[in-house]
Amino acid sequence: MNKNLQNFGAKLKKIRIEQGLSLREICRITNYDPSNWSKVERGVISPPSDEKVLSKWAKALRLKQNTKEFQRFIDEARIAQ
């Protein structure tokens, strides 16, 4: 398995839980399929490559836009692909 993919998935899940968001809640907010979100968190599939989608995810996870944390999230998603 791709270590970068696993690392991103673990980070995605950690941030979601820290924000007090269930899998279903975050998927409703981002309009993303819960099954696929779960697969991303588990490192089974890659995160989306579309930057607009990744930005939407970062905002839903309450990462502040135009910060290092926000950009790191986008960069790590790209690396995981």
Side-chain angles (χ1 to χ4, degrees):
M1 276 190 132
N2 180 336
K3 192 70 171 168
N4 293 322
L5 188 58
Q6 290 177 325
N7 289 342
F8 178 78
K11 180 177 182 168
L12 182 66
K13 184 174 183 175
K14 180 178 182 274
I15 295 169
R16 178 180 60 76
I17 291 169
E18 286 174 350
Q19 295 299 329
L21 296 165
S22 71
L23 182 84
R24 297 252 177 234
E25 286 176 300
I26 194 69
C27 290
R28 183 180 40 76
I29 293 166
T30 59
N31 196 32
Y32 199 76
D33 178 67
S35 175
N36 286 336
W37 185 287
S38 176
K39 289 175 186 174
V40 173
E41 284 188 348
R42 291 181 285 129
V44 176
I45 64 171
S46 298
S49 58
D50 186 335
E51 188 166 343
K52 287 181 182 180
V53 173
L54 294 173
S55 292
K56 186 176 184 178
W57 283 22
K59 290 174 191 172
L61 292 166
R62 301 180 186 123
L63 302 178
K64 292 183 179 163
Q65 199 166 4
N66 300 321
T67 64
K68 286 183 183 181
E69 184 181 33
F70 188 95
Q71 191 56 50
R72 189 176 315 122
F73 178 84
I74 304 293
D75 292 343
E76 288 175 2
R78 286 186 179 142
I79 291 167
Q81 296 163 4

